[in-house]
Amino acid sequence: MRGLGFAALSLHVLLCLVNGVSSRRTSSYVRSEFPSTDMPLDSEWFATPKGYNAPQQVHITQGDYDGKAVIISWVTPSEPAPSQVFYSKEENRYDQKAEGTMTNYTFYDYKSGYIHHCLVDGLQYNTKYYYKIGTGDSAREFWFQTPPAIDIDASYTFGIIGDLGQTFNSLSTLQHYLKSGGESVLFVGDLSYADRYQHNDGIRWDSWGRFVERSTAYQPWIWNSGNHEIEYRPDLGETSTFKPYLHRYSTPYLASKSSSPMWYAVRRASAHIIVLSSYSPFVKYTPQWMWLKGELKRVDREKTPWLIVLMHAPMYNSNDAHFMEGESMRAAFEKWFVKYKVDLVFAGHVHAYERSYRISNINYNVTSGNRYPVPDKSAPVYITVGDGGNQEGLAWRFSDPQPDYSAFREASYGHSTLQLINRTHAVYQWNRNDDGKHVPTDNVVFHNQYWASNTRRRRLKKKHLRYESLEGLMSML
Ligand SMILES: [Fe+2]
């Protein structure tokens, strides 16, 4: 697949090398999509595992700040069971054991299965671990690979998926991602869309957990919530927010000194990843605001050069759908993103793809009237990947003309990959689902905001400088 993208990638690299090139584009591609309906509950993609009370909906996420732990979660559908994980570096050995916790919940007339969360810590970097959950005939075995140690030049590949849902389009996205070489997923919110069903039917949370298990049991998905996770239904007597999401999806928030599982940070390979909650308070003095202020100060670009932020509602979006919904978070946080030279901000919510140039609007205030975003070398690139394929369908109405800040946009389903190569370069790709085929569509080489600046580049050793040439970079692919 790398060979296929070579020509397009070369073109983008050349564009990157030419200063001031503006090539903003609204793709005219129109795909003939699968119908935006959920796969039926008896679909083979939702199949329950064999055996009485067998663990299902298995998913793992990073369990600490630096990638030496995982949280393994699963559901036993029929009755309580031990929350034990047996694991080992050798297949079939399982000589180590971790003990977790069990919970369940009700949502109106739905009663969940027994949800287990088990922290497995003290792992070695860059190591394959095998693990087993369940007992007897119902036991199930999986494996995962730990990331490389935190290192300034650690290479690593993330997938980025948003607004996935459980339609045939969702399946196409997931199947393409499984072949992408991604080692971990940055998920930007809106998981199951169970809230689209009468009484927010939790059965659709269960089917979604079984659907994504083919990836989530084997590699960590870094979770973030979206509006479909809020599930505030006082008419049903459900007055707490994010109830099913918080019961089912654990995050290692305490490791980053957060007071809530809704916002947190993890470091993985050469990346510092900050997860923000679009639907939790974030204005000045709120817990999320206070935490982010502190977390940005803890970022050490000498250890984790790539600074990535995840949120659900995009700050820059030129689609008619959800237009301006990220504006309040932009007003709160954009100046910090510029100050700390955030590399990339990934969001979902809008069911289309869009990538911005490096722009900021931090000079705007209600008095000055400087209301247009301007090119800003210290600003992040904003990428919207809300195109996982859920039942709400595509958002195909973009504002016309395309605003100057928008580099590329297309209303198709798909997912992205971000391949961190070293401290200075990353290869990014957005992959369209093209009627079952996977088509790399938007290819960009990103220069690191901290290390690729002229002053710091001079400090780099020769071995890193070679990637600055097109030839050197291509040799890494
Ligand atoms: Fe959303």
Side-chain angles (χ1 to χ4, degrees):
M1 210 39 81
R2 283 172 181 168
L4 281 177
F6 190 83
L9 182 58
S10 303
L11 176 64
H12 274 282
V13 172
L14 289 171
L15 289 175
C16 287
L17 297 175
V18 181
N19 235 352
V21 163
S22 178
S23 61
R24 66 181 201 270
R25 194 154 76 87
T26 302
S27 171
S28 57
Y29 177 83
V30 178
R31 67 183 312 281
S32 60
E33 55 191 278
F34 295 121
S36 293
T37 51
D38 282 355
M39 294 183 283
L41 281 175
D42 60 2
S43 159
E44 60 180 303
W45 304 103
F46 299 142
T48 51
K50 291 189 182 81
Y52 174 72
N53 208 31
Q56 58 169 260
Q57 306 172 46
V58 183
H59 54 94
I60 67 175
T61 196
Q62 185 161 321
D64 64 355
Y65 201 42
D66 282 344
K68 289 175 81 175
V70 293
I71 301 167
I72 300 177
S73 305
W74 69 95
V75 174
T76 47
S78 307
E79 60 176 87
S83 303
Q84 293 171 338
V85 172
F86 295 91
Y87 65 101
S88 164
K89 286 190 277 187
E90 287 173 50
E91 207 168 359
N92 298 321
R93 187 158 172 170
Y94 305 120
D95 55 353
Q96 289 177 277
K97 185 174 112 174
E99 196 83 42
T101 57
M102 190 176 70
T103 183
N104 62 352
Y105 70 92
T106 57
F107 195 100
Y108 188 60
D109 56 358
Y110 168 81
K111 186 172 183 299
S112 80
Y114 299 89
I115 303 164
H116 306 262
H117 300 290
C118 184
L119 177 71
V120 178
D121 59 3
L123 302 174
Q124 290 172 4
Y125 285 123
N126 240 337
T127 304
K128 187 171 184 177
Y129 284 89
Y130 299 86
Y131 69 98
K132 184 166 90 164
I133 50 180
T135 52
D137 293 345
S138 302
R140 300 184 69 204
E141 300 175 24
F142 306 91
W143 53 264
F144 61 86
Q145 174 87 22
T146 53
I150 302 294
D151 182 80
I152 192 164
D153 287 313
S155 54
Y156 197 75
T157 303
F158 291 100
I160 304 101
I161 300 176
D163 304 68
L164 185 57
Q166 45 193 303
T167 69
F168 292 98
N169 292 305
S170 321
L171 173 62
S172 179
T173 300
L174 189 62
Q175 286 178 321
H176 293 153
Y177 172 66
L178 284 165
K179 294 178 192 159
S180 72
E183 298 169 89
S184 176
V185 168
L186 307 178
F187 193 84
V188 289
D190 283 356
L191 288 69
S192 72
Y193 289 75
D195 66 338
R196 300 267 300 173
Y197 287 82
Q198 191 181 26
H199 304 150
N200 297 33
D201 193 348
I203 284 170
R204 282 290 176 174
W205 271 109
D206 293 317
S207 58
W208 194 80
R210 294 194 296 271
F211 165 54
V212 294
E213 184 191 87
R214 47 192 46 81
S215 175
T216 59
Y218 298 94
Q219 60 171 247
W221 283 37
I222 308 302
W223 297 112
N224 196 6
S225 58
N227 51 303
H228 287 279
E229 279 70 68
I230 300 173
E231 304 206 62
Y232 173 65
R233 292 293 302 271
D235 54 321
L236 303 179
E238 297 295 349
T239 53
S240 66
T241 50
F242 302 104
K243 188 178 183 183
Y245 174 74
L246 288 171
H247 277 86
R248 291 168 179 273
Y249 293 91
S250 255
T251 66
Y253 66 101
L254 292 172
S256 57
K257 303 183 172 64
S258 166
S259 58
S260 167
M262 303 297 294
W263 58 86
Y264 62 100
V266 293
R267 310 198 304 174
R268 198 164 182 85
S270 55
H272 192 122
I273 297 149
I274 290 177
V275 178
L276 296 179
S277 175
S278 295
Y279 306 101
S280 304
F282 53 76
V283 298
K284 197 168 185 178
Y285 309 126
T286 58
Q288 185 167 207
W289 185 92
M290 302 275 284
W291 172 82
L292 179 59
K293 191 169 186 238
E295 184 62 23
L296 285 168
K297 287 180 186 151
R298 285 191 285 275
V299 175
D300 182 355
R301 306 295 273 273
E302 312 275 328
K303 292 197 171 93
T304 50
W306 294 97
L307 179 52
I308 297 167
V309 175
L310 313 183
M311 61 184 60
H312 186 63
M315 289 185 179
Y316 285 94
N317 162 40
S318 66
N319 195 298
D320 286 0
H322 304 302
F323 186 61
M324 297 283 282
E325 287 183 20
E327 183 64 5
S328 48
M329 187 171 268
R330 190 195 65 76
F333 294 148
E334 186 182 23
K335 59 182 178 299
W336 288 351
F337 293 174
V338 174
K339 179 183 174 187
Y340 288 95
K341 291 179 183 283
V342 170
D343 287 293
L344 296 158
V345 176
F346 289 106
H349 200 36
V350 180
H351 302 163
Y353 174 73
E354 185 162 14
R355 170 175 56 84
S356 80
Y357 291 111
R358 294 199 184 281
I359 39 87
S360 75
N361 204 5
I362 53 177
N363 293 324
Y364 170 76
N365 62 53
V366 291
T367 308
S368 77
N370 296 326
R371 60 202 166 95
Y372 294 110
V374 292
D376 187 338
K377 284 181 177 166
S378 296
V381 168
Y382 295 89
I383 297 176
T384 303
V385 202
D387 55 348
N390 66 75
Q391 59 157 266
E392 291 178 336
L394 286 167
W396 65 87
R397 274 202 296 273
F398 286 110
S399 62
D400 188 26
Q402 184 170 8
D404 288 345
Y405 66 76
S406 175
F408 181 85
R409 50 189 195 171
E410 180 179 318
S412 293
Y413 297 117
H415 77 278
S416 294
T417 52
L418 177 68
Q419 184 185 5
L420 307 179
I421 290 175
N422 57 20
R423 77 187 71 178
T424 55
H425 285 85
V427 174
Y428 168 82
Q429 190 167 284
W430 174 65
N431 308 277
R432 171 206 295 153
N433 304 341
D434 189 353
D435 297 330
K437 291 193 292 294
H438 152 231
V439 180
T441 306
D442 188 28
N443 301 278
V444 191
V445 173
F446 287 125
H447 293 187
N448 185 270
Q449 285 290 63
Y450 182 87
W451 283 100
S453 71
N454 285 333
T455 37
R456 290 204 171 76
R457 211 179 288 173
R458 281 200 288 272
R459 287 193 222 150
L460 295 178
K461 292 176 189 166
K462 255 187 172 170
K463 67 170 182 165
H464 301 299
L465 277 174
R466 73 172 193 266
Y467 307 130
E468 292 295 315
S469 71
L470 182 60
E471 199 180 33
L473 184 66
M474 289 309 170
S475 71
M476 293 297 295
L477 302 175

